[in-house]
Amino acid sequence: MKKDNIIEIKNLNKWYGDFHVLKDINMQVKKGEIIVVCGPSGSGKSTLIRCINYLEQFQKGSITVDGIEVVDDIKKIKSIREDVAMVFQHFNLFPHLSIIDNLTLAPIWVKKKSKKEATDIAMKYLERVGIADQVDKFPNQLSGGQQQRVAIARSLCKNPNVMLFDEPTSALDPEMVSEVLDVIVELASEGRTMICVTHEMGFAKKVAHRVVFMDEGQIVEENTPDKFFDSPESDRLKLFLKQILSH
């Protein structure tokens, strides 16, 4: 594994039964790099990032995260998941717990932190995402945008080296999209390694070091945002951009 790479994916293949969802994926991510993955629905984008922290098992190829190979080994998976945080499309908050309890649950039970220490960390990140005034509420009392910001704060409580975002704004009303993207843009400026699956092309232009286009389980094209948007090479990407940018 190259020294400055934090993630290396080699010849990754995954099937759901007979359906070949990922086909020979090769990808390297440097420390501090921000990658945006885009493509049509069903192209394998979410499956790809879910393989990185072994939420999805894969059948062929290899993934290495910060020097640890992703294999079916409880200890290694635990170690990788402590280092890699994931923000999901549908927030995945516990509805029966208050916001502060959602954030302190893992630090107290998994990291064995004291309640005070866990609460201090949680408050720091709730302030960071702009919703420290909502700590005693429950998820269903918050807007979708606020819930997603809670989910981001919860991920930050792990102080991860890598953050994975799986379409973090696609379940939100249009007016809430920018409030969540603004938080992610701000995080991007801190030098964290981030891989974000999204259709938000303005966000990709603004923060990505590289944009990766997937279709039918393959990486079709990848480039810097300038070249990706201004001079796409493949006809498939040209068509995708024409469709998505005309909306």
Side-chain angles (χ1 to χ4, degrees):
M1 185 161 179
K2 278 190 188 169
K3 222 177 174 180
D4 57 347
N5 286 346
I6 194 164
I7 297 170
E8 282 191 359
I9 299 172
K10 291 181 181 172
N11 302 319
L12 186 71
N13 284 267
K14 175 172 173 59
W15 286 263
Y16 291 122
D18 294 333
F19 180 54
H20 198 174
V21 65
L22 295 174
K23 303 168 187 171
D24 291 320
I25 300 285
N26 288 284
M27 186 172 162
Q28 290 82 38
V29 182
K30 291 183 171 66
K31 285 178 184 165
E33 195 172 17
I34 296 155
I35 309 282
V36 165
V37 183
C38 62
S41 294
S43 57
K45 312 178 296 293
S46 293
T47 304
L48 172 62
I49 66 164
R50 288 170 70 90
C51 285
I52 292 171
N53 62 354
Y54 213 61
L55 287 174
E56 293 278 0
Q57 295 182 337
F58 50 90
Q59 287 82 20
K60 262 174 82 178
S62 68
I63 301 176
T64 309
V65 180
D66 218 358
I68 302 171
E69 190 172 352
V70 179
V71 289
D72 196 0
D73 174 305
I74 289 169
K75 262 180 136 170
K76 285 187 176 180
I77 298 305
K78 187 171 179 281
S79 178
I80 286 165
R81 287 182 183 166
E82 280 179 6
D83 209 26
V84 178
M86 186 141 184
V87 177
F88 298 90
Q89 188 175 343
H90 292 290
F91 328 132
N92 286 22
L93 300 172
F94 294 110
H96 63 292
L97 295 179
S98 67
I99 299 312
I100 193 69
D101 288 342
N102 262 283
L103 266 69
T104 57
L105 188 71
I108 290 170
W109 289 97
V110 180
K111 300 264 188 172
K112 307 297 181 201
K113 293 193 181 296
S114 69
K115 186 161 189 188
K116 185 189 182 311
E117 198 180 354
T119 302
D120 288 347
I121 293 166
M123 288 307 299
K124 171 184 161 185
Y125 288 117
L126 285 170
E127 278 168 26
R128 184 83 190 63
V129 301
I131 43 172
D133 56 340
Q134 308 290 333
V135 288
D136 297 322
K137 290 188 177 173
F138 287 82
N140 66 359
Q141 295 175 292
L142 304 186
S143 70
Q146 288 173 321
Q147 288 186 59
Q148 191 59 292
R149 284 190 279 159
V150 171
I152 292 169
R154 181 179 58 183
S155 293
L156 288 169
C157 285
K158 295 167 74 171
N159 196 23
N161 284 327
V162 179
M163 291 192 76
L164 307 174
F165 294 89
D166 187 8
E167 303 204 21
T169 59
S170 64
L172 302 177
D173 293 333
E175 67 270 20
M176 292 175 190
V177 169
S178 64
E179 71 177 72
V180 171
L181 288 180
D182 287 347
V183 169
I184 302 173
V185 167
E186 212 175 298
L187 294 176
S189 68
E190 295 176 359
R192 289 179 194 274
T193 307
M194 290 162 61
I195 305 177
C196 186
V197 171
T198 184
H199 291 295
E200 300 293 336
M201 295 297 103
F203 169 77
K205 286 179 185 176
K206 196 171 184 177
V207 303
H209 295 114
R210 243 183 324 142
V211 187
V212 174
F213 174 65
M214 289 184 68
D215 189 35
E216 295 184 352
Q218 294 175 301
I219 292 177
V220 176
E221 198 167 327
E222 59 179 296
N223 221 323
T224 60
D226 287 353
K227 289 178 179 168
F228 187 90
F229 290 105
D230 298 339
S231 45
E233 291 167 13
S234 65
D235 290 339
R236 184 66 192 91
L237 176 55
K238 286 174 189 169
L239 177 65
F240 175 77
L241 290 174
K242 189 180 171 187
Q243 289 171 332
I244 203 162
L245 295 175
S246 63
H247 283 282

